[in-house]
Tab-separated table of all heavy atoms in Angstrom:
chain	number	residue	atom	x	y	z
A	1	LYS	N	75.847	139.278	135.099
A	1	LYS	CA	76.102	137.861	135.323
A	1	LYS	C	74.897	137.154	135.970
A	1	LYS	O	74.508	136.033	135.571
A	1	LYS	CB	77.345	137.653	136.175
A	1	LYS	CG	77.693	136.185	136.401
A	1	LYS	CD	79.073	136.008	137.009
A	1	LYS	CE	79.149	136.502	138.444
A	1	LYS	NZ	80.426	136.200	139.076
A	2	VAL	N	74.318	137.801	136.965
A	2	VAL	CA	73.121	137.232	137.611
A	2	VAL	C	71.988	137.107	136.616
A	2	VAL	O	71.264	136.055	136.573
A	2	VAL	CB	72.714	138.083	138.809
A	2	VAL	CG1	71.392	137.622	139.368
A	2	VAL	CG2	73.781	138.018	139.907
A	3	LEU	N	71.745	138.146	135.829
A	3	LEU	CA	70.665	138.080	134.813
A	3	LEU	C	70.901	136.961	133.788
A	3	LEU	O	69.914	136.356	133.306
A	3	LEU	CB	70.555	139.444	134.099
A	3	LEU	CG	69.920	140.553	134.906
A	3	LEU	CD1	70.075	141.897	134.232
A	3	LEU	CD2	68.444	140.253	135.181
A	4	ASP	N	72.112	136.721	133.442
A	4	ASP	CA	72.429	135.623	132.510
A	4	ASP	C	71.855	134.309	133.053
A	4	ASP	O	71.288	133.513	132.271
A	4	ASP	CB	73.958	135.523	132.325
A	4	ASP	CG	74.360	134.440	131.339
A	4	ASP	OD1	73.510	133.917	130.625
A	4	ASP	OD2	75.590	134.112	131.275
A	5	HIS	N	71.956	134.083	134.362
A	5	HIS	CA	71.454	132.839	134.962
A	5	HIS	C	69.953	132.890	135.186
A	5	HIS	O	69.272	131.909	135.032
A	5	HIS	CB	72.173	132.570	136.263
A	5	HIS	CG	73.617	132.228	136.069
A	5	HIS	ND1	74.072	130.947	135.840
A	5	HIS	CD2	74.729	133.001	136.014
A	5	HIS	CE1	75.376	130.928	135.678
A	5	HIS	NE2	75.813	132.182	135.783
A	6	ALA	N	69.459	134.073	135.547
A	6	ALA	CA	68.015	134.187	135.849
A	6	ALA	C	67.146	134.021	134.607
A	6	ALA	O	66.048	133.486	134.713
A	6	ALA	CB	67.768	135.533	136.505
A	7	LEU	N	67.639	134.437	133.438
A	7	LEU	CA	66.849	134.454	132.222
A	7	LEU	C	66.984	133.155	131.413
A	7	LEU	O	66.234	132.938	130.472
A	7	LEU	CB	67.225	135.636	131.335
A	7	LEU	CG	66.517	136.982	131.608
A	7	LEU	CD1	66.664	137.428	133.032
A	7	LEU	CD2	67.048	138.044	130.647
A	8	SER	N	67.918	132.290	131.759
A	8	SER	CA	68.183	131.117	130.968
A	8	SER	C	67.121	130.060	131.127
A	8	SER	O	66.537	129.907	132.204
A	8	SER	CB	69.567	130.555	131.262
A	8	SER	OG	69.572	130.068	132.604
A	9	GLY	N	66.926	129.267	130.076
A	9	GLY	CA	66.040	128.115	130.145
A	9	GLY	C	64.564	128.482	130.148
A	9	GLY	O	64.158	129.642	130.210
A	10	GLU	N	63.745	127.433	130.105
A	10	GLU	CA	62.288	127.628	130.099
A	10	GLU	C	61.813	128.288	131.385
A	10	GLU	O	60.802	129.002	131.388
A	10	GLU	CB	61.579	126.264	129.896
A	10	GLU	CG	61.798	125.711	128.491
A	10	GLU	CD	61.055	124.387	128.319
A	10	GLU	OE1	61.669	123.337	128.629
A	10	GLU	OE2	59.913	124.421	127.853
A	11	ALA	N	62.521	127.990	132.491
A	11	ALA	CA	62.123	128.617	133.769
A	11	ALA	C	62.370	130.113	133.810
A	11	ALA	O	61.897	130.816	134.674
A	11	ALA	CB	62.911	127.941	134.917
A	12	GLY	N	63.145	130.603	132.810
A	12	GLY	CA	63.416	132.028	132.744
A	12	GLY	C	62.557	132.800	131.805
A	12	GLY	O	62.801	133.998	131.557
A	13	ILE	N	61.491	132.163	131.255
A	13	ILE	CA	60.630	132.860	130.280
A	13	ILE	C	59.983	134.112	130.904
A	13	ILE	O	59.989	135.177	130.319
A	13	ILE	CB	59.567	131.891	129.774
A	13	ILE	CG1	60.199	130.814	128.899
A	13	ILE	CG2	58.490	132.654	128.957
A	13	ILE	CD1	59.235	129.749	128.385
A	14	SER	N	59.436	133.937	132.077
A	14	SER	CA	58.759	135.104	132.734
A	14	SER	C	59.780	136.197	133.065
A	14	SER	O	59.436	137.376	132.971
A	14	SER	CB	58.065	134.620	134.010
A	14	SER	OG	57.055	133.673	133.745
A	15	SER	N	60.977	135.804	133.465
A	15	SER	CA	61.990	136.805	133.764
A	15	SER	C	62.409	137.567	132.507
A	15	SER	O	62.766	138.748	132.571
A	15	SER	CB	63.231	136.146	134.436
A	15	SER	OG	62.887	135.615	135.707
A	16	CYS	N	62.425	136.868	131.358
A	16	CYS	CA	62.792	137.560	130.119
A	16	CYS	C	61.739	138.609	129.787
A	16	CYS	O	62.106	139.724	129.389
A	16	CYS	CB	62.847	136.516	128.963
A	16	CYS	SG	64.297	135.438	129.014
A	17	GLU	N	60.485	138.276	129.948
A	17	GLU	CA	59.415	139.305	129.717
A	17	GLU	C	59.580	140.451	130.692
A	17	GLU	O	59.480	141.626	130.293
A	17	GLU	CB	58.043	138.634	129.906
A	17	GLU	CG	57.664	137.590	128.867
A	17	GLU	CD	57.287	138.276	127.546
A	17	GLU	OE1	57.170	139.513	127.473
A	17	GLU	OE2	57.099	137.510	126.531
A	18	ARG	N	59.847	140.142	131.972
A	18	ARG	CA	59.994	141.199	133.003
A	18	ARG	C	61.194	142.068	132.686
A	18	ARG	O	61.160	143.270	132.906
A	18	ARG	CB	60.135	140.525	134.362
A	18	ARG	CG	60.225	141.505	135.535
A	18	ARG	CD	58.866	142.046	135.876
A	18	ARG	NE	57.972	141.015	136.328
A	18	ARG	CZ	57.914	140.550	137.572
A	18	ARG	NH1	58.680	141.045	138.521
A	18	ARG	NH2	57.039	139.622	137.907
A	19	PHE	N	62.262	141.473	132.172
A	19	PHE	CA	63.483	142.231	131.827
A	19	PHE	C	63.175	143.298	130.778
A	19	PHE	O	63.624	144.442	130.896
A	19	PHE	CB	64.559	141.264	131.326
A	19	PHE	CG	65.818	141.924	130.864
A	19	PHE	CD1	66.750	142.425	131.800
A	19	PHE	CD2	66.077	142.112	129.529
A	19	PHE	CE1	67.920	143.019	131.344
A	19	PHE	CE2	67.227	142.725	129.097
A	19	PHE	CZ	68.160	143.191	129.977
A	20	VAL	N	62.448	142.914	129.736
A	20	VAL	CA	62.103	143.894	128.677
A	20	VAL	C	61.162	144.974	129.230
A	20	VAL	O	61.330	146.180	128.927
A	20	VAL	CB	61.466	143.169	127.474
A	20	VAL	CG1	61.066	144.203	126.405
A	20	VAL	CG2	62.440	142.177	126.894
A	21	GLU	N	60.192	144.572	130.029
A	21	GLU	CA	59.276	145.528	130.639
A	21	GLU	C	60.005	146.511	131.551
A	21	GLU	O	59.590	147.701	131.670
A	21	GLU	CB	58.199	144.765	131.451
A	21	GLU	CG	57.250	143.915	130.602
A	21	GLU	CD	56.357	143.063	131.425
A	21	GLU	OE1	56.440	143.174	132.696
A	21	GLU	OE2	55.556	142.275	130.860
A	22	ALA	N	61.072	146.076	132.202
A	22	ALA	CA	61.804	146.927	133.137
A	22	ALA	C	62.842	147.807	132.381
A	22	ALA	O	63.669	148.447	133.009
A	22	ALA	CB	62.529	146.094	134.149
A	23	LEU	N	62.724	147.827	131.029
A	23	LEU	CA	63.577	148.709	130.189
A	23	LEU	C	65.060	148.321	130.321
A	23	LEU	O	65.926	149.157	130.346
A	23	LEU	CB	63.397	150.178	130.566
A	23	LEU	CG	61.945	150.711	130.553
A	23	LEU	CD1	61.932	152.162	130.972
A	23	LEU	CD2	61.307	150.521	129.193
A	24	GLY	N	65.258	146.993	130.356
A	24	GLY	CA	66.628	146.524	130.480
A	24	GLY	C	67.394	146.445	129.175
A	24	GLY	O	68.624	146.390	129.174
A	25	LEU	N	66.677	146.482	127.997
A	25	LEU	CA	67.359	146.330	126.728
A	25	LEU	C	68.305	147.483	126.449
A	25	LEU	O	69.441	147.254	125.938
A	25	LEU	CB	66.313	146.275	125.586
A	25	LEU	CG	65.479	144.988	125.486
A	25	LEU	CD1	64.443	145.095	124.400
A	25	LEU	CD2	66.386	143.805	125.281
A	26	ARG	N	67.906	148.683	126.751
A	26	ARG	CA	68.777	149.846	126.467
A	26	ARG	C	70.125	149.721	127.218
A	26	ARG	O	71.175	149.950	126.623
A	26	ARG	CB	68.031	151.138	126.858
A	26	ARG	CG	68.871	152.389	126.581
A	26	ARG	CD	68.062	153.626	126.908
A	26	ARG	NE	68.869	154.849	126.640
A	26	ARG	CZ	68.425	156.040	126.850
A	26	ARG	NH1	67.173	156.284	127.248
A	26	ARG	NH2	69.210	157.105	126.633
A	27	THR	N	70.024	149.438	128.489
A	27	THR	CA	71.253	149.328	129.284
A	27	THR	C	72.089	148.131	128.855
A	27	THR	O	73.347	148.229	128.817
A	27	THR	CB	70.888	149.191	130.787
A	27	THR	OG1	70.011	150.259	131.147
A	27	THR	CG2	72.124	149.246	131.650
A	28	LEU	N	71.404	147.018	128.511
A	28	LEU	CA	72.149	145.825	128.088
A	28	LEU	C	72.913	146.081	126.824
A	28	LEU	O	74.108	145.758	126.717
A	28	LEU	CB	71.145	144.667	127.861
A	28	LEU	CG	71.763	143.372	127.344
A	28	LEU	CD1	72.617	142.731	128.433
A	28	LEU	CD2	70.667	142.413	126.877
A	29	PHE	N	72.308	146.724	125.816
A	29	PHE	CA	72.994	147.014	124.558
A	29	PHE	C	74.059	148.080	124.709
A	29	PHE	O	75.030	148.124	123.943
A	29	PHE	CB	72.005	147.351	123.464
A	29	PHE	CG	71.378	146.127	122.841
A	29	PHE	CD1	70.103	145.715	123.234
A	29	PHE	CD2	72.045	145.375	121.917
A	29	PHE	CE1	69.543	144.584	122.683
A	29	PHE	CE2	71.491	144.248	121.354
A	29	PHE	CZ	70.217	143.809	121.732
A	30	SER	N	73.853	148.958	125.666
A	30	SER	CA	74.893	149.956	125.936
A	30	SER	C	76.168	149.261	126.450
A	30	SER	O	77.279	149.580	126.021
A	30	SER	CB	74.409	150.944	126.972
A	30	SER	OG	75.412	151.867	127.350
A	31	ALA	N	75.974	148.254	127.324
A	31	ALA	CA	77.122	147.475	127.823
A	31	ALA	C	77.689	146.620	126.697
A	31	ALA	O	78.897	146.432	126.572
A	31	ALA	CB	76.659	146.599	128.984
A	32	PHE	N	76.834	146.085	125.863
A	32	PHE	CA	77.264	145.262	124.728
A	32	PHE	C	78.157	146.032	123.754
A	32	PHE	O	79.128	145.502	123.257
A	32	PHE	CB	76.023	144.721	123.975
A	32	PHE	CG	76.325	143.904	122.752
A	32	PHE	CD1	77.012	142.705	122.891
A	32	PHE	CD2	75.948	144.343	121.509
A	32	PHE	CE1	77.302	141.935	121.771
A	32	PHE	CE2	76.235	143.559	120.389
A	32	PHE	CZ	76.916	142.363	120.502
A	33	MET	N	77.852	147.306	123.569
A	33	MET	CA	78.643	148.135	122.680
A	33	MET	C	79.898	148.668	123.338
A	33	MET	O	80.708	149.367	122.707
A	33	MET	CB	77.795	149.288	122.130
A	33	MET	CG	76.631	148.864	121.279
A	33	MET	SD	77.098	147.866	119.845
A	33	MET	CE	77.992	149.057	118.900
A	34	GLY	N	80.068	148.365	124.653
A	34	GLY	CA	81.247	148.809	125.370
A	34	GLY	C	81.198	150.258	125.782
A	34	GLY	O	82.237	150.830	126.171
A	35	LYS	N	80.021	150.873	125.750
A	35	LYS	CA	79.921	152.322	126.066
A	35	LYS	C	79.896	152.569	127.577
A	35	LYS	O	80.093	153.713	127.997
A	35	LYS	CB	78.645	152.896	125.450
A	35	LYS	CG	78.634	152.841	123.928
A	35	LYS	CD	77.293	153.381	123.402
A	35	LYS	CE	77.278	153.293	121.861
A	35	LYS	NZ	75.992	153.802	121.343
A	36	SER	N	79.668	151.529	128.347
A	36	SER	CA	79.474	151.741	129.769
A	36	SER	C	80.666	151.304	130.634
A	36	SER	O	80.623	151.440	131.843
A	36	SER	CB	78.231	150.967	130.260
A	36	SER	OG	78.403	149.583	129.999
A	37	ARG	N	81.664	150.746	130.003
A	37	ARG	CA	82.812	150.247	130.761
A	37	ARG	C	83.703	151.352	131.286
A	37	ARG	O	84.050	152.264	130.518
A	37	ARG	CB	83.608	149.254	129.937
A	37	ARG	CG	82.821	147.941	129.648
A	37	ARG	CD	83.641	147.004	128.817
A	37	ARG	NE	82.824	145.866	128.449
A	37	ARG	CZ	83.109	145.004	127.505
A	37	ARG	NH1	84.253	145.140	126.840
A	37	ARG	NH2	82.352	143.970	127.221
A	38	THR	N	84.102	151.214	132.503
A	38	THR	CA	85.040	152.189	133.073
A	38	THR	C	86.426	151.904	132.573
A	38	THR	O	86.698	150.856	131.979
A	38	THR	CB	85.018	152.095	134.613
A	38	THR	OG1	85.486	150.804	135.004
A	38	THR	CG2	83.610	152.278	135.157
A	39	GLY	N	87.365	152.783	132.876
A	39	GLY	CA	88.752	152.558	132.466
A	39	GLY	C	89.327	151.295	133.044
A	39	GLY	O	90.047	150.593	132.390
A	40	LYS	N	88.972	150.989	134.279
A	40	LYS	CA	89.467	149.782	134.917
A	40	LYS	C	88.993	148.553	134.200
A	40	LYS	O	89.698	147.595	134.004
A	40	LYS	CB	89.065	149.728	136.384
A	40	LYS	CG	89.745	150.789	137.246
A	40	LYS	CD	89.286	150.665	138.694
A	40	LYS	CE	89.973	151.728	139.565
A	40	LYS	NZ	89.538	151.603	140.958
A	41	ARG	N	87.720	148.546	133.793
A	41	ARG	CA	87.167	147.397	133.119
A	41	ARG	C	87.793	147.225	131.749
A	41	ARG	O	88.021	146.161	131.263
A	41	ARG	CB	85.646	147.513	132.985
A	41	ARG	CG	84.909	147.641	134.284
A	41	ARG	CD	85.105	146.436	135.139
A	41	ARG	NE	84.464	145.243	134.588
A	41	ARG	CZ	84.520	144.050	135.167
A	41	ARG	NH1	85.212	143.880	136.263
A	41	ARG	NH2	83.942	143.013	134.602
A	42	LYS	N	88.007	148.346	131.056
A	42	LYS	CA	88.613	148.269	129.724
A	42	LYS	C	90.037	147.731	129.805
A	42	LYS	O	90.534	147.117	128.883
A	42	LYS	CB	88.635	149.665	129.081
A	42	LYS	CG	87.249	150.138	128.635
A	42	LYS	CD	87.349	151.502	127.995
A	42	LYS	CE	85.975	152.014	127.575
A	42	LYS	NZ	86.044	153.352	126.974
């Protein structure tokens, strides 16, 4: 949720680049596919 706000808009351009550099895509898409949710979250 915090990243959603940090990366939005033109002011978030640098943060978007930093996010990819920090290898955030793999974890993000893992959550997107629902592979990381615990039983409580499901």
Side-chain angles (χ1 to χ4, degrees):
K1 181 170 69 173
V2 172
L3 286 169
D4 182 13
H5 292 271
L7 274 56
S8 66
E10 292 182 272
I13 292 176
S14 298
S15 293
C16 287
E17 292 284 353
R18 184 75 65 84
F19 176 78
V20 178
E21 293 172 3
L23 306 179
L25 289 177
R26 180 177 179 179
T27 307
L28 178 69
F29 278 99
S30 176
F32 177 63
M33 298 302 294
K35 297 177 180 179
S36 61
R37 291 179 186 166
T38 64
K40 292 181 180 180
R41 300 298 293 178
K42 289 180 180 179

